Each structure stands twice: as structure tokens, then as C-alpha cells.
Amino acid sequence: MIGLFGGTFDPIHYGHLRPALEVFEILGLDELRLIPLREAVHREPPQTTPADRLAMVEAAVADQPGFVADPRELQRHGGSYTYDTLTSFRAEFGIERPLCLLLGEDAFRGFLSWRRSSEILTLAHLVVMARPIPGPRLNPALAALYTARRAMDPAALATRPAGRIYRHPVTQLAISSTAIRALVAAGRSPRYLVPDPVIAIIERKGLYRASEHPPRRLTA
Ligand code: ATP
């Protein structure tokens, strides 16, 4: 099985990486593709270039076997739509191979508003990286979809290429890219929130730095 995890990754941090590793292991994935999105729909444009965000993802996963930075969304023009991304992966992996689309709980709550959401489930399983304590109830339409598609066991995902929804509780790390950008802009260190090789890129390229804060080393 192949896992797919898209995000702005501006920058990638341990709040992305730790839950992704937990899902990678519990599902027994062959590979996890981390896919920086060119410009996510419904949000502010990224502060850094596609090349910088890809370089940060590559640096973050370089020493993790099975984790692969995937540049395909950065080569596309216009908005990133999950349906199109999955179509591209189907072209690469064929129709039989199970594909698991990883998404956060908040993203899952908005799933029915995604473009071609019902067709997305013909292309991939959804793996929801869930909070250990359930949040508010799902809205009725999403709850019905979840009940109809729910996989109780990760092994159920391996038996077909797409169409199931598996919810897996993951360690919650209250880390956000927004907070990291603010730290760096304030001249403070993002160490222990972000892998050191990513910090090295932030530092070398002067990313996220506010003009009133002169360059300085962010790590020890
Ligand atoms: P920003 O602060 O810029 O909105 P972000 O930290 O939320 O960024 P994204 O790149 O937008 O990062 O996130 C990609 C995916 O990772 C989303 O599905 C999001 O729900 C999930 N995610 C982000 N941060 C965490 C976290 N701390 N724990 C679990 N999932 C997360």
C-alpha cells in the first residue's frame, strides 16, 4: 500500500511527521509520499517558493526509509485538487494498488465540500489521523458516509484499492506552520518543533525572517 500526505508544508514540522510515521507503521505502508501543494485551495498562498518547500520536505525525510518527497503538485499550474492528484497517482501505480490518502481530523470534517469528493473514494482510501479524544459529532451526511465506509481494521484497506475510511488515533502535537513562521519572524528558534536539517535550510535561505530582525543562527 502507498500512503499519500499532502500539505502546504510551509514549513514541514514534527506535527506532520510524527502522526505520518505512526500511520505508516500501523498500516504497514510500502511507501509514504509527502506532497507539497503548490497553492492550497481556500487558504493564503505559501510564503516560500515551491523549490524551498520541496527542499525542506526532502531534508525532513532524508533519513526515514519509506518516506518520499513527491514534487508532482509543484509542477502543476493553478490550484491543487485532491481528485487530480489521485488521478495522477493512479496513472503511476495502476488501478489495483491500494492508495491511502492521509488527512487530519479537521480536513476530514470538510471532506464533503471537496471537489468530486465521492469520486475521491473511488481512487483511494481515507486514513484520518484522529485525535485520541473524539471532537464534536460529525455532521449527519459525513457521519452516514463514515458509517457506510468505515474500516475497523487497517488490514481491511489492503484487500481493495480504494473506498474505505479508517480512523487512527495519533499522538497530538500542537505544532503549526503558522506558529513556526511567527517564531522565526520574531527572531526566535523553532528548534525541537522542526527537524534540524529543515532549520538549516530556513537559516541558510533566510526564510520567514521579518526585515526588522537581522540574520542570526536559529540553532545552537
Ligand atoms: P498552517 O499553520 O500554515 O495552516 P499546518 O501546520 O496546518 O499549516 P499544513 O501543511 O497546512 O500545515 O498541513 C497539512 C496537513 O497536516 C493537514 O491535513 C493538517 O490537518 C495536518 N496537520 C498539520 N499540523 C498538524 C498537527 N500538529 N497534528 C496533526 N496533523 C497536522
Side-chain angles (χ1 to χ4, degrees), residues 3-37:
L4 310 171
F5 183 25
T8 316
F9 299 141
D10 189 25
I12 191 162
H13 54 67
Y14 286 127
H16 301 124
L17 292 161
R18 178 66 211 174
L21 181 63
E22 291 177 12
V23 167
F24 178 79
E25 291 187 326
I26 201 79
L27 297 185
L29 295 176
D30 301 312
E31 199 174 292
L32 178 69
R33 299 283 180 103
L34 292 107
I35 312 153
L37 304 179

Side-chain angles (χ1 to χ4, degrees), residues 5-17 19 37 40 43-44 102-108 114 129 170-181:
F5 183 25
T8 316
F9 299 141
D10 189 25
I12 191 162
H13 54 67
Y14 286 127
H16 301 124
L17 292 161
L37 304 179
R43 58 169 288 157
E44 295 282 299
L102 277 57
L103 69 174
E105 179 110 52
D106 294 343
F108 177 60
W114 293 12
M129 298 183 289
V170 294
T171 302
Q172 297 300 296
L173 298 168
I175 303 173
S176 77
S177 299
T178 304
I180 291 162
R181 295 193 298 270

Side-chain angles (χ1 to χ4, degrees), residues 24 52 55 69 74 82-83 86 90 96 98 116 124 129 132-133 136 141 149 152-153 162 172 184-185 190 197 211 217:
F24 178 79
D52 286 341
L74 300 175
T82 303
Y83 175 84
L86 291 174
R90 275 284 164 225
E96 299 286 333
R116 308 177 82 162
M129 298 183 289
I133 300 166
R149 303 290 190 133
M152 304 305 278
D153 186 317
Q172 297 300 296
V184 176
S211 50
R217 282 187 62 78

Side-chain angles (χ1 to χ4, degrees), residues 63-107:
D63 64 353
Q64 174 54 49
F67 278 30
V68 178
D70 190 303
R72 77 188 61 207
E73 277 302 308
L74 300 175
Q75 290 151 1
R76 191 201 292 280
H77 291 290
S80 298
Y81 286 101
T82 303
Y83 175 84
D84 301 326
T85 311
L86 291 174
T87 305
S88 155
F89 278 106
R90 275 284 164 225
E92 177 177 347
F93 289 112
I95 56 170
E96 299 286 333
R97 192 106 184 239
L99 297 180
C100 297
L101 180 69
L102 277 57
L103 69 174
E105 179 110 52
D106 294 343

Side-chain angles (χ1 to χ4, degrees), residues 86-220:
L86 291 174
T87 305
S88 155
F89 278 106
R90 275 284 164 225
E92 177 177 347
F93 289 112
I95 56 170
E96 299 286 333
R97 192 106 184 239
L99 297 180
C100 297
L101 180 69
L102 277 57
L103 69 174
E105 179 110 52
D106 294 343
F108 177 60
R109 284 173 183 275
F111 175 69
L112 287 177
S113 68
W114 293 12
R115 188 164 171 250
R116 308 177 82 162
S117 57
S118 55
E119 290 159 89
I120 286 173
L121 276 164
T122 67
L123 295 168
H125 301 300
L126 300 186
V127 174
V128 183
M129 298 183 289
R131 296 191 191 91
I133 300 166
R137 291 162 83 96
L138 299 177
N139 74 52
L142 189 60
L145 178 73
Y146 179 54
T147 303
R149 303 290 190 133
R150 178 167 42 192
M152 304 305 278
D153 186 317
L157 304 179
T159 62
R160 50 191 290 184
R164 308 296 297 273
I165 303 174
Y166 178 64
R167 193 173 171 281
H168 181 71
V170 294
T171 302
Q172 297 300 296
L173 298 168
I175 303 173
S176 77
S177 299
T178 304
I180 291 162
R181 295 193 298 270
L183 272 182
V184 176
R188 289 160 59 197
S189 172
R191 197 158 193 212
Y192 308 131
L193 300 174
V194 176
D196 283 347
V198 175
I199 297 182
I201 294 173
I202 293 174
E203 193 172 90
R204 190 172 71 244
K205 306 207 79 175
L207 306 180
Y208 312 118
R209 196 180 285 149
S211 50
E212 67 267 27
H213 288 286
R216 72 173 185 81
R217 282 187 62 78
L218 300 169
T219 47

